[in-house]
Amino acid sequence: MKTFTIGGIHPPESKLTAGKSIVDLPLPKQAVVLLGQHIGAPAQLVVERGAVVKTGQLLAKAGGFVSANIHSPVSGKIAKIGEAVDASGYPKPAVFIDVTEDDWAEEIVRTEKLERECRLTPEEIVAKIAEAGIVGMGGACFPASVKLTPPPGKKCDLLIINAVECEPYLTADHRLMLEKGPEIVIGIRILMKALGVDRAVIGIEENKPDAIELMRHLTISYPTIEVLPLQMHYPQGGEKQLIEAVSGRQVPSGALPIDVGKVVQNVGTVYAVYEAVQKNKPLIERIVTVTGKSLKHPGNFRVRIGTPIADLIEAAGGLPENAGKIISGGPMMGKALVGMDVPVAKGTSGVLVMDEAESVRKPVFDCIRCGKCIGACPMGLEPYLLSALAERQVWDRLEKEHIMDCIECGCCTFTCPANRPLLDYMRVGKAKVGAIIRSRKK
Amino acid sequence: MDKKLYVSMSPHIHGDDSVAKNMYRVILALVPALLVSVYAFGWPALLVTAISIASCVVFEYLITRYLMKRPNTLTDGSAVLTGLLLAFNLPSNLPWWIIVIGALVAIGMAKMSFGGLGNNIFNPALVGRVFLLISFPQQMTTWPLTRMQIAASGTDALTGATPLGLIKAGQFDQLPSALDMLLGNTGGSLGEVAALALLIGVIYLLVTKTITWHIPVSILVTVFIFAACLHLGNPERFADPLTHLLTGGLMLGACFMATDYVTSPMAKSGQIVYGIGIGVLTVLIRSFGSYPEGVSFAILIMNAVTPIINLYCKPKRFGEPRK
Amino acid sequence: MNAILIALIVLGGIGLLLAIVLFSAARAFKVEEDPRIGQVQAVLPGANCGGCGFPGCRGFAEACVKSDSLDGLRCPVGGDDVMKQVGIILDMVPAESKPKVAVLRCQGTCERRPRTNRYDSAPSCMIASALYGGETGCSYGCLGLGDCVKVCQFGALSIDPATGMPVVDEERCTSCGACVKACPKGLFELRFKGPKSRRIYVSCRNKDKGPVAKKACETACIGCSKCQKACEFEAITIENNLAYIDFNKCRMCRKCVEECPQGSIVELNFPPRKKKEEAAPATEPKVAEPQAAPVAEPKAAEPQAAPVAEPKAPAAE
């Protein structure tokens, strides 16, 4: 079975919610819509305090080419425009909407009927995706319309659908495929039309045999869409690793997937594309896995953007007594939250509640130079060296040792027998070196 | 919410590997060889091992607690492992006070003075061994015969030359057969007698992914090829490659001493360079040097080269341009 | 006998040959330089801390020798004594400069600034600051993980276990500026040491709106601008809900300290006020701030919950 060739680890799956079908979460009392839910410039507000908005109405326009629109996930009155602490731990600009009823904007089609035909031109499709504010929902939150607009001179020859979901605990993509399979296939065909490609591959990890079989069945009449089971191997869902597993090509250091002719989209993004193009529905809700060993009722919920995490945890049976950490995302790359007020954003794929015992890090020893971190790194870097250089703030050598190639997957820290906080230092080093490189270009 | 959540950077889960686990696995892998050596040399072997391990543990505790004033690190098992490996390099009739000196040099000088586990440049057990060899050459080169040898020889002699000693003296005809050397019917230090038992231990380590094949294989292959070239050139002067592989501390050194994490290179390509260096130096010292055994010195010399190897031998990067 | 003679001749010859080679190389590759650079470098402290703005003491020595005057050139570690000696060597007059000292502009101890979460990542302020706003509601305040302590070459910084925050030892601080660069929150500032080591500063960097700042920390500056109104010398500016006292203009009249309702302004090493026992209980304990002046040393360990009258007694001299 195919997989990527360098490094990687095998963390325990812990897919506690794989069998739980998606449940709609009740609307929150107040939705907190962050204005920076994507890579790129924050969106610019087009509404004011006190305005009454409908579900799906535009709240903020994209702030540049690499940016995204933000729409209201609820209907009600804008209570205030201020700041809310997001997953980064710092207060960020946000719109607070007091929720009344669920009044949708007129243009949105609310039926569940499957719309198979799409008569739009590729440019119109991309414009509609941009208008709907769709970003990568695997967690990276890169504006989808930008990815679908290759720079001049670069052509896409293969669309890869990332249905891998390699993070332990997360099952949102899995359930989405099982319950909205036909819509996803239509979404794939729409994206293929938008990109002008005639081939697509859906990559699914082998621990989801039901999804693999279902997608194979649904794509029987579309021979250009292939379903490819992939070995369970973290981080198989990383863009570069997925491209290598599917096509055998490694994206060169410093280059983008489009440079080797590939475009990767998360399966949740594909579903959002279907809803945007066929139902005029902007990105206002998503599937979030709420899970954890001590939760009473873990499950997969359809949640409106802006819902406080506290509501999700309530729906899962409330915060357990022995809760130690609340993580937005998966355990390998997710962010530990400071409190339950943090709102759900476009990239929130899961909420993981960890017990106190699991939450505390083990004591740190000196590096024993075993080299296991090198064996684990999927980018072929030397984490022990990068971490030591970042700790000593040797930025120039850090740049030479390819710190910018690091995808922050966490394999090194997971593996280290001395429990060293390798990724902590590497992340900071990467941010500092990135800032130095950007200031050089100016 | 009154609860104070923990906040840290990702990843939030950790594999269950630890320093202690790796050390204890190596100790376990050495147990078959220990059993063979106790069978071969009797209770003195066990005594030497016990004294060595106890001294190493005590010295590490005292130095950590009173000199370095840090919490003690005995639970990671590395002091016990150093003691065991040091014992494997000693003859079974070594006086107890020499063993204690060896432990002091190994732990105090070669390990703790650099800052403890992870910071030392040279393999502590080998530094201890080499120090003793140079300081007490007489006691360190008087090798008791094994039980099997005594039974087979029919004389009253209790000590005799090891195969390497014979090679150095040019007495090839008196060498034991390859099978004898494999099974332990030869003399030598505690760890030299049982190549087969050591192999069992190494396979255990490879299966549990405690070590990888790169260092042991590159050392053994290099020794074989280099010794074969010499032997083909002058069979009278140079022993055959199989003998080289099976005698002396090569098996122990290649599989357990050279694979020490702290003192060996980190990238796989670097490990192969390291192994080749050790192999070449071992055969050179054995064939042309004045010491019968070359493995210890070869490993120590390559330990010094490890930082340079780490600098130039990098792992294969993702997306590296093809050359 | 022969052997000894041969050995002597051979080795002696080699020695002579090498000596000639070395001597010629030293003459041929000699770099001409002003001998005064070496002389100046000899009187410098040799800490190579970069506090002067030049790369190491050698760099500073070169700059002094090459320059026409000593204006703008000062070694903060050596201070006036060293600059006088440099002036003597170069026959120049050193510029007058008031000594400075590092000041930590945060009072958010555990008692004043409640913790809302527990930090469990690597013990470095650089990392914590990159991760999130900190263990408290004030994302501008001291993280207490000691990056400043690690970077101070002169041992002038140490973490006070009672407060969890760094303390500046005025005797050892050379105002080299390393802590200013190291603190990711920008809490350190080099301010004039002041006559009799007295100085006044706003010990807060919180730019949140008043109610938010107050909720996070008892002594946070809320930007009410009462201090600005009280200052007769226009030394105080308010920007982004935060007051700042310009140390060039401050005349140490202490009016702002009395006016501040939050107790954010610190007056260091002043004698106690005789009249204001009941009126401003919030400001009094500030005299006992654990900024380690030799006088303040014993107060450092006292918790701020000490009764109002107490701090005055040890301060009275």
Side-chain angles (χ1 to χ4, degrees):
Chain A
M1 193 165 294
K2 289 196 180 173
T3 184
F4 55 95
T5 50
I6 303 180
I9 54 171
H10 297 96
E13 284 187 89
S14 308
K15 302 275 188 185
L16 309 172
T17 50
K20 303 266 180 5
S21 38
I22 300 172
V23 168
D24 281 327
L25 196 77
L27 296 178
K29 293 201 180 49
Q30 188 184 64
V32 180
V33 183
L34 296 159
L35 293 178
Q37 296 185 38
H38 47 262
I39 303 241
Q44 308 289 325
L45 275 172
V46 297
V47 291
E48 281 173 349
R49 185 166 161 237
V52 171
V53 291
K54 291 192 179 172
T55 305
Q57 183 176 334
L58 186 70
L59 285 181
K61 272 196 88 54
F65 177 55
V66 181
S67 187
N69 289 341
I70 297 193
H71 299 79
S72 177
V74 292
S75 64
K77 193 165 169 192
I78 297 185
K80 79 168 175 186
I81 298 185
E83 287 192 332
V85 174
D86 71 350
S88 76
Y90 282 101
K92 294 277 162 66
V95 179
F96 296 75
I97 306 173
D98 286 331
V99 179
T100 51
E101 297 153 1
D102 194 20
D103 194 14
W104 287 67
E106 285 98 34
E107 63 270 15
I108 302 176
V109 177
R110 304 239 22 228
T111 65
E112 293 281 311
K113 176 168 171 286
L114 199 64
E115 295 290 345
R116 289 184 203 278
E117 289 304 314
C118 172
R119 294 187 207 288
L120 303 176
T121 66
E123 292 79 22
E124 284 169 340
I125 295 176
V126 176
K128 218 162 173 193
I129 291 175
E131 206 187 297
I134 297 188
V135 301
M137 292 172 66
C141 300
F142 191 78
S145 55
V146 179
K147 233 191 219 181
L148 295 170
T149 320
K154 304 229 163 83
K155 179 98 177 63
C156 173
D157 61 65
L158 178 66
L159 171 67
I160 301 176
I161 306 298
N162 189 345
V164 172
E165 203 155 45
C166 54
E167 279 259 20
Y169 287 103
L170 299 186
T171 54
D173 290 348
H174 185 183
R175 295 305 313 177
L176 192 63
M177 278 191 285
L178 291 178
E179 297 179 34
K180 297 284 177 189
E183 288 88 340
I184 290 172
V185 175
I186 299 171
I188 296 175
R189 289 177 48 232
I190 293 174
L191 283 174
M192 285 167 75
K193 190 172 180 190
L195 280 167
V197 292
D198 50 14
R199 277 181 61 221
V201 173
I202 309 174
I204 310 181
E205 261 191 354
E206 57 177 339
N207 59 353
K208 302 183 243 300
D210 46 0
I212 295 173
E213 206 193 303
L214 176 67
M215 296 311 284
R216 276 207 169 118
H217 176 76
L218 290 172
T219 53
I220 273 181
S221 28
Y222 304 108
T224 52
I225 304 180
E226 185 196 335
V227 174
L228 184 63
L230 295 167
Q231 200 187 91
M232 255 189 71
H233 191 188
Y234 179 86
Q236 184 66 78
E239 210 171 41
K240 296 186 174 177
Q241 278 64 40
L242 182 58
I243 293 174
E244 193 198 357
V246 165
S247 69
R249 291 198 62 180
Q250 285 187 350
V251 176
S253 169
L256 291 168
I258 192 65
D259 295 325
V260 297
K262 314 280 180 277
V263 169
V264 180
Q265 291 284 14
N266 175 272
V267 70
T269 314
V270 172
Y271 179 68
V273 164
Y274 164 84
E275 295 212 293
V277 174
Q278 305 294 70
K279 308 274 179 173
N280 305 323
K281 185 173 157 199
L283 181 51
I284 56 169
E285 63 184 10
R286 63 159 299 145
I287 316 295
V288 179
T289 304
V290 184
T291 178
K293 295 203 178 85
S294 303
L295 279 180
K296 290 205 200 73
H297 311 294
N300 302 291
F301 298 97
R302 183 175 289 111
V303 177
R304 298 283 171 94
I305 308 289
T307 307
I309 299 272
D311 286 10
L312 280 82
I313 296 182
E314 244 345 282
L319 193 67
E321 260 306 302
N322 65 353
K325 247 184 194 176
I326 301 179
I327 297 167
S328 164
M332 289 301 294
M333 292 183 72
K335 299 215 165 113
L337 302 176
V338 295
M340 294 205 289
D341 307 328
V342 179
V344 167
K346 290 179 182 176
T348 309
S349 45
V351 174
L352 168 59
V353 178
M354 281 187 140
D355 304 336
E356 275 231 23
E358 292 178 297
S359 304
V360 187
R361 285 188 174 183
K362 299 185 212 163
V364 175
F365 291 98
D366 286 347
C367 172
I368 60 168
R369 314 190 77 75
C370 63
K372 292 189 181 187
C373 55
I374 300 181
C377 178
M379 298 304 288
L381 301 171
E382 297 181 283
Y384 82 96
L385 180 64
L386 296 174
S387 162
L389 290 173
E391 195 175 341
R392 288 154 184 73
Q393 307 193 8
V394 188
W395 310 129
D396 48 1
R397 187 154 171 220
L398 205 53
E399 188 184 347
K400 281 202 204 87
E401 300 284 351
H402 313 287
I403 183 70
M404 299 311 290
D405 281 357
C406 171
I407 59 173
E408 301 182 26
C409 63
C411 289
C412 51
T413 316
F414 181 91
T415 308
C416 178
N419 305 313
R420 292 189 66 72
L422 299 169
L423 189 58
D424 285 13
Y425 286 103
M426 286 170 70
R427 250 207 191 100
V428 170
K430 191 177 166 196
K432 289 256 171 20
V433 171
I436 293 174
I437 294 176
R438 274 192 297 276
S439 68
R440 244 186 254 147
K441 288 204 182 113
K442 288 200 190 120
Chain B
M1 187 181 72
D2 291 328
K3 192 173 267 296
K4 292 200 198 104
L5 295 172
Y6 284 99
V7 181
S8 74
M9 282 204 183
S10 65
H12 306 283
I13 50 174
H14 194 273
D16 51 13
D17 201 7
S18 69
V19 177
K21 274 200 184 142
N22 287 292
M23 295 294 151
Y24 287 120
R25 275 194 215 122
V26 179
I27 294 173
L28 191 62
L30 286 168
V31 164
L34 180 65
L35 293 174
V36 170
S37 83
V38 172
Y39 174 74
F41 294 108
W43 296 120
L46 200 56
L47 194 62
V48 164
T49 310
I51 295 174
S52 176
I53 293 179
S55 328
C56 283
V57 167
V58 166
F59 283 129
E60 180 158 312
Y61 173 74
L62 290 174
I63 293 176
T64 317
R65 170 104 190 267
Y66 294 109
L67 276 181
M68 296 169 82
K69 302 202 173 59
R70 278 200 228 161
N72 93 66
T73 52
L74 289 174
T75 46
D76 66 16
S78 58
V80 173
L81 182 58
T82 303
L84 188 57
L85 284 172
L86 178 64
F88 272 33
N89 279 298
L90 306 174
S92 64
N93 61 354
L94 200 62
W96 67 269
W97 53 275
I98 296 187
I99 305 176
V100 172
I101 292 176
L104 180 61
V105 167
I107 294 287
M109 196 171 90
K111 185 173 160 196
M112 302 315 281
S113 67
F114 285 95
L117 183 66
N119 301 306
N120 46 303
I121 306 179
F122 298 103
N123 189 314
L126 282 179
V127 170
R129 191 242 192 196
V130 163
F131 181 89
L132 291 182
L133 180 64
I134 298 178
S135 312
F136 306 102
Q138 222 257 317
Q139 293 94 320
M140 281 292 287
T141 52
T142 318
W143 304 105
L145 293 175
T146 64
R147 167 197 304 247
M148 296 77 89
Q149 281 176 314
I150 293 173
S153 74
T155 68
D156 283 337
L158 286 176
T159 65
T162 61
L164 279 179
L166 292 170
I167 293 174
K168 185 56 65 176
Q171 295 164 318
F172 288 5
D173 46 327
Q174 297 190 24
L175 282 174
S177 69
L179 188 64
D180 279 337
M181 289 194 283
L182 194 66
L183 292 178
N185 291 334
T186 68
S189 67
L190 295 184
E192 288 177 18
V193 297
L196 192 62
L198 288 171
L199 273 175
I200 294 173
V202 160
I203 291 173
Y204 169 71
L205 289 181
L206 287 170
V207 161
T208 53
K209 295 205 177 78
T210 311
I211 62 174
T212 56
W213 58 265
H214 301 78
I215 295 180
V217 167
S218 57
I219 296 178
L220 296 173
V221 165
T222 309
V223 166
F224 191 89
I225 294 178
F226 192 15
C229 294
L230 289 176
H231 182 67
L232 287 173
N234 188 348
E236 312 296 305
R237 165 103 161 82
F238 301 110
D240 65 285
L242 198 57
T243 306
H244 267 290
L245 276 188
L246 295 171
T247 60
L250 185 62
M251 232 13 127
L252 181 70
C255 301
F256 291 92
M257 314 291 274
T259 51
D260 172 40
Y261 290 147
V262 183
T263 51
S264 56
M266 319 225 351
K268 305 282 191 287
S269 51
Q271 288 173 348
I272 302 221
V273 170
Y274 175 76
I276 293 175
I278 293 176
V280 166
L281 284 169
T282 301
V283 177
L284 273 178
I285 297 175
R286 278 182 178 180
S287 310
F288 302 104
S290 54
Y291 278 99
E293 177 52 280
V295 178
S296 315
F297 295 110
I299 296 179
L300 286 175
I301 292 174
M302 290 310 289
N303 281 162
V305 181
T306 295
I308 278 265
I309 294 179
N310 273 330
L311 196 61
Y312 289 110
C313 294
K314 300 284 189 186
K316 184 164 187 328
R317 265 196 310 131
F318 188 98
E320 207 166 6
R322 283 162 224 265
K323 287 177 197 121
Chain C
M1 191 55 215
N2 243 354
I4 297 178
L5 203 58
I6 293 176
L8 265 173
I9 292 174
V10 170
L11 287 176
I14 293 177
L16 190 63
L17 183 65
L18 287 174
I20 293 173
V21 169
L22 284 171
F23 180 70
S24 318
R27 287 283 284 273
F29 298 119
K30 187 179 164 93
V31 173
E32 282 302 330
E33 69 168 27
D34 193 330
R36 294 182 299 166
I37 298 180
Q39 288 171 356
V40 171
Q41 192 182 0
V43 302
L44 294 176
N48 289 317
C49 66
C52 53
F54 294 95
C57 298
R58 177 95 189 157
F60 182 66
E62 283 175 3
C64 287
V65 171
K66 289 199 179 82
S67 158
D68 293 328
S69 80
L70 287 178
D71 287 337
L73 289 166
R74 181 186 163 80
C75 169
V77 181
D80 287 326
D81 294 334
V82 162
M83 289 317 292
K84 258 192 226 130
Q85 293 179 51
V86 173
I88 291 172
I89 295 174
L90 300 177
D91 197 23
M92 289 191 238
V93 178
E96 281 297 319
S97 169
K98 293 198 217 169
K100 285 188 177 172
V101 75
V103 160
L104 176 70
R105 297 176 296 174
C106 178
Q107 295 183 87
T109 63
C110 297
E111 284 157 27
R112 296 194 190 124
R113 199 172 39 135
R115 296 279 180 277
T116 56
N117 60 68
R118 289 178 277 192
Y119 177 72
D120 193 35
S121 228
S124 157
C125 306
M126 176 176 76
I127 306 251
S129 170
L131 174 61
Y132 71 149
E135 287 187 310
T136 67
C138 171
S139 59
Y140 300 88
C142 175
L143 296 161
L145 292 164
D147 279 10
C148 51
V149 176
K150 284 190 202 109
V151 88
C152 179
Q153 288 184 29
F154 304 99
L157 284 166
S158 56
I159 299 280
D160 181 351
T163 61
M165 288 172 50
V167 168
V168 179
D169 182 342
E170 290 187 5
E171 303 287 290
R172 292 195 182 173
C173 175
T174 61
S175 67
C176 70
C179 55
V180 178
K181 287 194 205 97
C183 178
K185 298 289 180 190
L187 294 174
F188 282 98
E189 190 186 15
L190 295 177
R191 295 178 73 91
F192 286 145
K193 210 161 181 178
K196 297 189 195 165
S197 282
R198 292 175 185 170
R199 64 201 85 100
I200 300 179
Y201 54 94
V202 178
S203 190
C204 180
R205 298 297 292 158
N206 188 311
K207 301 197 178 89
D208 286 335
K209 290 207 174 69
V212 178
K214 201 165 169 177
K215 190 169 162 208
C217 175
E218 282 174 14
T219 51
C221 172
I222 53 177
C224 65
S225 61
K226 277 193 181 154
C227 53
Q228 189 183 41
K229 294 186 185 91
C231 182
E232 295 163 20
F233 306 101
E234 295 181 4
I236 304 187
T237 47
I238 312 271
E239 202 180 319
N240 290 326
N241 308 304
L242 178 65
Y244 175 75
I245 301 176
D246 183 347
F247 52 83
N248 289 298
K249 294 189 183 155
C250 175
R251 293 273 185 279
M252 315 256 206
C253 68
R254 302 201 273 170
K255 287 217 177 68
C256 53
V257 182
E258 299 164 21
E259 282 299 318
C260 179
Q262 285 288 97
S264 313
I265 307 185
V266 169
E267 52 176 37
L268 203 56
N269 298 330
F270 282 85
R273 298 153 191 277
K274 302 211 174 50
K275 21 189 177 53
K276 301 264 196 274
E277 286 170 37
E278 310 79 31
T283 58
E284 276 302 359
K286 300 309 149 288
V287 183
E289 257 311 291
Q291 307 299 331
V295 172
E297 207 72 54
K299 295 185 225 127
E302 271 169 16
Q304 298 309 321
V308 173
E310 231 224 306
K312 286 199 299 196
E317 299 202 313

